[in-house]
Amino acid sequence: MSPAPFADRRVARAIQRVTGTVLGPYQTAVVRIGFAATWLFFLLREFPHRHELYGPQGPWGWGMARQLIADNHSFTVLMWSDSTLWFEIVYAVAVLSSALLLVGWRTRATSVLFMVGVLSLQNRSVFMGDGGDNVIHLMALYLVFTRCGHVWSLDARRRSRRPAPAVDPAGAALWVVLGFALVAVVLFRDRTGEPWMFVLLWLLWLAQGVWWLVCRFAPGEPRVLLDVVANLLHNAALAVIMAEVCLIYATAGWYKIQGSRWQDGTALYYPLKLDYFTPWPALSDLLAGGGVMVMLITYATVIVQVAFPFTLFNRRVKNVLLAAMMLEHAGIALLLGLPFFSLAMIAADAVFLPTVFLLWLEARARWAGERVRPGGTAGHEKQPAPEDRTRRTLVG
């Protein structure tokens, strides 16, 4: 057989897979759940201090934020008004959108609201965040372009139980309400941020309207074409998320190599002696007292971060390093008192979790649900489809 037709068939299969399949649906769902939960828990924990962090009582006043945003053109709807009522409305919408995205209700709309809430609060007080906030900031943008409600969501549950209705009152009402919100964006366009954000929000709103019209009146080839476009956007956004995670670890690892404290293996010792990073002083002192352990953890951190991007095509090594990085972030949450930074990084790492492992978690969750449900039995959990069991991608 000539190598040319064989290569052509491989290219054709690759194109068909990229355009006709939602790649990494379970990984994308975990990323959605992880970041929505992280941001939701942060907003709830800081609810008593919300006015000092992002509101009118904060050290970074509304006028100072207005001057900064006039220079960097960051997007935040909190610049529309300096009233306390407007701030409370924005904060409440941020909390609500995080909860709805977590459970996967109308994920196309709630992912946009989630992005608006994240950008509005973080850009209002840019000096209040840390590395975890930066990751949430980026992922909130990327999630808008993914089909993150394909599995493990209320949307998926609704699709599996009944066909799409001819009229969707909840969806139509949400679309109209968001349209009125975009009219407000037009009225405050001088305070909205970069023009590309203004255009993006309108394009997303119009695209959702076109999607509904096509599904309602032209369910044939036009719907197939829209599915292809949606799959391409999803797969491209998934690739960007994976590249972003690799870039975070690569830059962090190579910058660490240049630091003298990382080179001599003592970098971990110093934060363990800072009161701000010692929620458990006795535990921190115990670890800091072991010089060999401090050195091993310091060097292992650098090695894992530098090596991880180079192991993506070796599934076994990648999974080992992935587990090591997640354990590292769990240790940061426990020892250094940075739980939300750690949760954000673990949620980002989840894009590389093996599909087989996620399917196993799904089966265990169904089994546990059957056990706790009244009259349920443990032997009737729904098994994943055979193609789900064998599907392997770069992310799994």
Side-chain angles (χ1 to χ4, degrees), residues 82-97:
D82 60 348
S83 69
T84 302
L85 177 60
W86 176 240
F87 169 77
E88 297 291 0
I89 292 173
V90 174
Y91 200 92
V93 170
V95 172
L96 179 61
S97 63

Side-chain angles (χ1 to χ4, degrees), residues 99-111:
L100 294 178
L101 186 63
L102 174 64
V103 298
W105 185 83
R106 309 285 177 178
T107 50
R108 290 193 181 98
T110 52
S111 64

Side-chain angles (χ1 to χ4, degrees), residues 28-220:
T28 313
V30 173
V31 171
R32 182 201 85 228
I33 294 169
F35 280 103
T38 300
W39 185 240
L40 176 62
F41 295 156
F42 174 79
L43 294 179
L44 293 178
R45 192 196 72 169
E46 300 298 342
F47 186 81
H49 314 292
R50 64 193 184 281
H51 291 283
E52 290 78 13
L53 285 174
Y54 304 113
Q57 299 177 9
W60 190 252
W62 191 82
M64 299 171 66
R66 186 77 185 275
Q67 293 180 29
L68 179 62
I69 289 173
D71 293 332
N72 61 19
H73 303 288
S74 298
F75 175 85
T76 172
V77 299
L78 287 176
M79 289 296 100
W80 293 1
S81 173
D82 60 348
S83 69
T84 302
L85 177 60
W86 176 240
F87 169 77
E88 297 291 0
I89 292 173
V90 174
Y91 200 92
V93 170
V95 172
L96 179 61
S97 63
S98 301
L100 294 178
L101 186 63
L102 174 64
V103 298
W105 185 83
R106 309 285 177 178
T107 50
R108 290 193 181 98
T110 52
S111 64
V112 177
L113 289 176
F114 177 77
M115 176 190 69
V116 170
V118 169
L119 298 183
S120 296
L121 291 173
Q122 290 187 356
N123 291 336
R124 167 62 178 82
S125 300
V126 294
F127 302 108
M128 295 295 179
D130 55 22
D133 290 332
N134 293 333
V135 176
I136 296 174
H137 193 108
L138 293 171
M139 295 302 172
L141 287 167
Y142 301 150
L143 281 174
V144 170
F145 299 99
T146 65
R147 307 184 81 169
C148 55
H150 201 69
V151 298
W152 294 356
S153 66
L154 293 181
D155 290 346
R157 183 182 183 184
R158 184 177 63 252
R159 288 193 300 266
S160 65
R161 289 191 170 186
R162 58 183 175 85
V167 179
D168 182 11
L174 183 60
W175 188 78
V176 171
V177 170
L178 293 179
F180 282 113
L182 288 177
V183 173
V185 173
V186 174
L187 297 177
F188 292 95
R189 61 183 179 275
D190 59 326
R191 308 181 191 178
T192 301
E194 290 283 3
W196 68 264
M197 178 60 72
F198 174 81
V199 174
L200 174 62
L201 292 175
W202 274 105
L203 286 177
L204 292 172
W205 184 78
L206 291 173
Q208 189 58 36
V210 171
W211 184 280
W212 182 85
L213 288 174
V214 169
C215 293
R216 179 72 175 87
F217 299 106

Side-chain angles (χ1 to χ4, degrees), residues 366-378 380:
R366 291 182 182 278
W367 179 83
E370 292 290 343
R371 290 294 298 270
V372 301
R373 188 179 300 122
T377 61
H380 299 285

Side-chain angles (χ1 to χ4, degrees), residues 247-263:
L247 184 62
I248 289 172
Y249 283 116
T251 53
W254 286 108
Y255 270 107
K256 285 181 174 66
I257 288 176
Q258 302 175 46
S260 59
R261 295 294 175 262
W262 291 97
Q263 292 175 7

Side-chain angles (χ1 to χ4, degrees), residues 151-387:
V151 298
W152 294 356
S153 66
L154 293 181
D155 290 346
R157 183 182 183 184
R158 184 177 63 252
R159 288 193 300 266
S160 65
R161 289 191 170 186
R162 58 183 175 85
V167 179
D168 182 11
L174 183 60
W175 188 78
V176 171
V177 170
L178 293 179
F180 282 113
L182 288 177
V183 173
V185 173
V186 174
L187 297 177
F188 292 95
R189 61 183 179 275
D190 59 326
R191 308 181 191 178
T192 301
E194 290 283 3
W196 68 264
M197 178 60 72
F198 174 81
V199 174
L200 174 62
L201 292 175
W202 274 105
L203 286 177
L204 292 172
W205 184 78
L206 291 173
Q208 189 58 36
V210 171
W211 184 280
W212 182 85
L213 288 174
V214 169
C215 293
R216 179 72 175 87
F217 299 106
E221 292 185 0
R223 169 61 189 272
V224 174
L225 176 61
L226 289 185
D227 270 326
V228 168
V229 174
N231 290 338
L232 284 172
L233 286 175
H234 166 89
N235 296 332
L238 181 62
V240 171
I241 292 174
M242 296 165 61
E244 187 70 41
V245 175
C246 292
L247 184 62
I248 289 172
Y249 283 116
T251 53
W254 286 108
Y255 270 107
K256 285 181 174 66
I257 288 176
Q258 302 175 46
S260 59
R261 295 294 175 262
W262 291 97
Q263 292 175 7
D264 60 26
T266 62
L268 177 62
Y269 174 83
Y270 297 98
L272 293 176
K273 289 298 182 180
L274 296 176
D275 292 339
Y276 184 79
F277 293 108
T278 52
W280 312 98
L283 185 59
S284 297
D285 291 339
L286 179 63
L287 180 59
V292 175
M293 183 60 66
V294 169
M295 181 187 67
L296 291 176
I297 295 177
T298 301
Y299 286 151
T301 299
V302 177
I303 293 172
V304 168
Q305 291 183 351
V306 172
F308 179 74
F310 300 100
T311 65
L312 294 183
F313 295 97
N314 189 317
R315 187 173 292 110
R316 293 182 179 179
V317 178
K318 182 264 293 183
N319 290 339
V320 171
L321 293 187
L322 183 63
M325 290 192 302
M326 289 186 169
L327 290 175
E328 173 193 340
H329 290 302
I332 291 174
L334 177 65
L335 293 173
L336 302 183
L338 298 172
F340 297 106
F341 166 78
S342 299
L343 285 175
M345 290 308 303
I346 290 174
D349 294 342
V351 74
F352 293 106
L353 285 173
T355 302
V356 173
F357 173 71
L358 295 176
L359 291 174
W360 177 84
L361 284 182
E362 180 184 33
R364 294 307 95 195
R366 291 182 182 278
W367 179 83
E370 292 290 343
R371 290 294 298 270
V372 301
R373 188 179 300 122
T377 61
H380 299 285
E381 68 268 11
K382 180 181 177 181
Q383 295 295 331
E387 61 270 20

